[in-house]
Amino acid sequence: MKRLLALFAMLMLAACGLKPMYAGGASGTVAQGLAGIEVSPIEGKAGWLVRNSLVDRLGAAGPGTARYRLDVRLDDRLEGLGLLSDDTIARERRTLRARYQLVDLTTGEIVLDATAGSDAGIDVVSSEYATIAAEQTALENLSREVSDRIVTRISVFLRSGAKGQ
């Protein structure tokens, strides 16, 4: 009975039309599209971290082979949240937001205009060094998360664009 139920579930899943995002591996439509994206320089330390993460995830194309250009503007904020009775900050929130545009290099048209963001809470401790280290670690983690969200959104765009072509 369990085997029959499992077989039925597999048949239903196959009939739903779901397809793997990266079907075809490195020669698939999405992987080729991601490899054809050139990432513009991004200002600041957060920009450097996000750009490096994007280049790593996209499998950056060599010079002259890019079909798209990715332009990213970041908003990095660090704000105090919790106040103790002696008016010192006990907690901070670091927020990293990105507005990004995917530009088709052949036409100059913006084919995707979207935003991504994430935030992290940081405990402020008596050691200034530990607090600064926590702020930097939060920035590194947020940079990776924002770049992951950007790549995922671009992958969905490339996959849906490939269906229309």
Side-chain angles (χ1 to χ4, degrees), residues 7 10 21 29 31 37-38 65 70 72 80 84-85 90 100 112 117 130 133 135 139 143-144 154:
L7 180 63
M10 287 176 30
M21 177 73 73
T29 305
I37 297 175
E38 161 190 305
T65 60
L70 180 63
V72 181
L84 298 175
S85 59
Y100 57 97
L112 177 64
E135 291 170 356
L139 180 59
S143 297
R144 276 192 302 276
I154 291 172

Side-chain angles (χ1 to χ4, degrees), residues 17 35 49:
L49 291 167

Side-chain angles (χ1 to χ4, degrees), residues 143-160:
S143 297
R144 276 192 302 276
E145 186 165 334
V146 166
S147 66
D148 287 348
R149 290 179 184 203
I150 291 171
V151 170
T152 300
R153 177 64 180 94
I154 291 172
S155 297
V156 170
F157 167 77
L158 291 172
R159 183 171 167 227
S160 65

Side-chain angles (χ1 to χ4, degrees), residues 18-82:
L18 290 176
K19 294 180 183 174
M21 177 73 73
Y22 298 103
S27 61
T29 305
V30 173
Q32 290 294 316
L34 290 176
I37 297 175
E38 161 190 305
V39 183
S40 297
I42 309 169
E43 291 183 26
K45 181 176 184 173
W48 181 80
L49 291 167
V50 169
R51 184 178 187 283
N52 284 346
S53 183
L54 285 169
V55 168
D56 289 345
R57 289 283 317 270
L58 294 172
T65 60
R67 177 174 178 202
Y68 299 104
R69 183 185 72 237
L70 180 63
D71 297 327
V72 181
R73 287 189 307 275
L74 293 178
D75 180 24
D76 178 24
R77 295 181 187 218
L78 183 63
E79 58 186 333
L81 292 178

